[in-house]
Amino acid sequence: MSELLNEEIKFDGPRFNVVRKIYKRDDGTKIIRDIVNPGDATIILPITSENEVVFITQYRESVEKVCLELPAGMVDKNEKPIETAKRELEEETGIIANNIEHLVTMYTSNGYTSEKVHIFVAKDFEKGCTHFDETEEILEVKKIPMDKCIEMAKTGKFENATEIVAILLYYTKYME
């Protein structure tokens, strides 16, 4: 275990902050860790009655390309992750899910960030309305058959780890 000696906010932005923490290990060694704190997020695996998965395509400046993604969003202050999942699903796809259940909660990369992602499965849809926020550029809502999604996940066709985790965990829990 390490003892926290000091912490200081090095960057405080609208979406995340970076905190520098200095620790002392049991052997006396001091280490510095810069931790990114974006808050928690939700990812939604929407599955239609035809066993298709609903995705969005969105331009991501961080990787400078259009990405195929599951609907997702940041958990607002005083909001429960399941509420975020319902809100983001409708905002990004125009879908209201009558059945939504928690699949897993995981750290995205605990070596440098405290971010936790709550993954939900959504089913039994009715039509709602999209409400894009000013930072999003959703280009398309797209359906892909679950069998094809499983194959894409197994063969590395998804570039985002949360899509792979959501699809393969759903597959192992409910389809094998």
Side-chain angles (χ1 to χ4, degrees):
M1 295 287 292
S2 299
E3 175 189 353
L4 178 63
L5 299 176
N6 186 41
E7 66 180 280
E8 175 185 359
I9 295 176
K10 290 296 197 177
F11 173 79
D12 195 12
R15 182 142 154 49
F16 65 89
N17 70 29
V18 178
V19 177
R20 174 160 292 162
K21 295 184 177 188
I22 301 172
Y23 292 93
K24 183 171 85 173
R25 291 195 172 149
D26 291 342
D27 67 2
T29 305
K30 287 185 182 177
I31 57 170
I32 297 172
R33 295 286 185 249
D34 293 328
I35 311 295
V36 178
N37 296 306
D40 287 3
T42 62
I43 307 287
I44 306 96
L45 178 64
I47 304 171
T48 69
S49 58
E50 292 82 30
N51 207 33
E52 297 170 310
V53 178
V54 180
F55 290 90
I56 59 170
T57 59
Q58 185 169 199
Y59 183 77
R60 291 296 191 179
E61 288 82 3
S62 59
V63 293
E64 298 181 338
K65 65 188 209 177
V66 174
C67 296
L68 178 67
E69 303 175 346
L70 292 170
M74 300 304 292
V75 178
D76 289 341
K77 189 175 182 172
N78 299 319
E79 186 177 44
K80 293 180 181 170
I82 194 165
E83 294 166 351
T84 305
K86 291 176 183 178
R87 174 178 53 78
E88 289 289 343
L89 181 62
E90 183 177 9
E91 284 178 6
E92 294 185 355
T93 66
I95 292 171
I96 297 172
N98 293 312
N99 180 348
I100 191 160
E101 66 181 61
H102 181 260
L103 184 63
V104 69
T105 296
M106 61 183 223
Y107 290 104
T108 56
S109 187
N110 61 7
Y112 75 93
T113 180
S114 63
E115 181 182 45
K116 275 195 288 189
V117 173
H118 307 272
I119 301 176
F120 293 88
V121 176
K123 294 183 177 181
D124 186 21
F125 306 146
E126 59 186 76
K127 188 157 177 53
C129 296
T130 57
H131 309 280
F132 305 129
D133 78 34
E134 66 278 355
T135 65
E136 294 176 316
E137 186 181 355
I138 309 278
L139 302 173
E140 180 183 15
V141 176
K142 185 176 192 170
K143 295 177 186 173
I144 300 175
M146 177 60 86
D147 289 345
K148 185 174 180 183
C149 291
I150 293 164
E151 189 59 31
M152 290 170 70
K154 287 180 176 180
T155 58
K157 301 292 189 235
F158 291 111
E159 297 179 294
N160 194 340
T162 53
E163 277 72 21
I164 297 166
V165 169
I167 290 163
L168 293 181
L169 186 56
Y170 180 83
Y171 171 72
T172 58
K173 281 182 89 168
Y174 300 107
M175 296 179 68
E176 274 192 319

